[in-house]
Amino acid sequence: MNKHLRSILVALCFCVPIVANAAIEAHEFDSPEQEELFRELTRELRCPKCQNNNISDSNAGLAQDLREKTYQMVKSGSDKQQVLDYMVARYGNFVRYDPPLTPAVLTLWLAPIGIIFIGGFTVWRLARRKKSAQPELDSQEQQRLAELLKQTEQKK
């Protein structure tokens, strides 16, 4: 075989797309409502490993397990709230992209604002205290200051 032909064949082998080892999950549902519920839940649940992907987009093993558990629960007749309650009980509120408003969530959102407010108030109080702590000049010191200012103006 010609050297050039062999080189071309080797180059073509590198151009052929390599099939990934991704398994395509094929789930069969009893009704279109179950399928829609499954798709909705997998978009709403966050992958605890990836953190920024929902379980329908993640290829992590944990996300695959969560998809499978969601499928089993939907297939067995569980409704959306039952699936969400199970996942939250097992993985915490973090598993939901839209966690409920709890005191802990409020603390996470409001604590930085409170710290900034307290810091600003403290700086304002300290600045005000320094201003009032500066001693005022008595009449002799004011007269002496006026004389010194006059002298410096005359030297100019």
Side-chain angles (χ1 to χ4, degrees), residues 22-27 38 55 58-60 63-65 67-68 71:
I24 297 174
E25 296 175 7
H27 297 297
F38 174 77
I55 62 172
S58 176
N59 289 327
Q64 291 173 353
D65 293 344
R67 280 193 302 269
E68 188 60 32
Y71 170 71

Side-chain angles (χ1 to χ4, degrees), residues 26-146:
H27 297 297
E28 292 185 20
F29 296 94
D30 297 332
S31 68
E33 291 81 19
Q34 278 186 345
E35 184 175 0
E36 181 56 35
L37 176 60
F38 174 77
R39 293 194 191 295
E40 183 180 337
L41 284 167
T42 57
R43 285 189 304 260
E44 191 172 320
L45 294 170
R46 180 193 325 248
C47 175
K49 185 175 180 184
C50 304
Q51 298 182 2
N52 286 333
N53 288 1
N54 56 32
I55 62 172
S56 68
D57 293 338
S58 176
N59 289 327
L62 181 57
Q64 291 173 353
D65 293 344
L66 289 174
R67 280 193 302 269
E68 188 60 32
K69 184 62 178 175
T70 303
Y71 170 71
Q72 290 170 0
M73 291 182 77
V74 168
K75 185 81 168 158
S76 70
S78 299
D79 65 359
K80 181 177 180 177
Q81 194 58 47
Q82 289 172 328
V83 175
L84 290 175
D85 289 344
Y86 172 82
M87 295 297 181
V88 168
R90 180 136 178 145
Y91 298 100
N93 277 325
F94 179 77
V95 78
R96 296 183 66 183
Y97 262 118
D98 187 21
L101 193 60
T102 62
V105 172
L106 280 174
T107 302
L108 285 173
W109 282 98
L110 297 178
I113 295 169
I115 290 170
I116 290 170
F117 177 74
I118 291 169
F121 181 74
T122 303
V123 168
W124 176 73
R125 288 288 304 230
L126 288 174
R128 198 165 160 227
R129 188 178 297 161
K130 271 190 175 181
K131 217 184 239 185
S132 64
Q134 292 177 350
E136 299 228 358
L137 300 176
D138 61 8
S139 60
Q140 284 180 340
E141 290 172 333
Q142 286 179 352
Q143 196 174 23
R144 175 76 178 133
L145 179 61

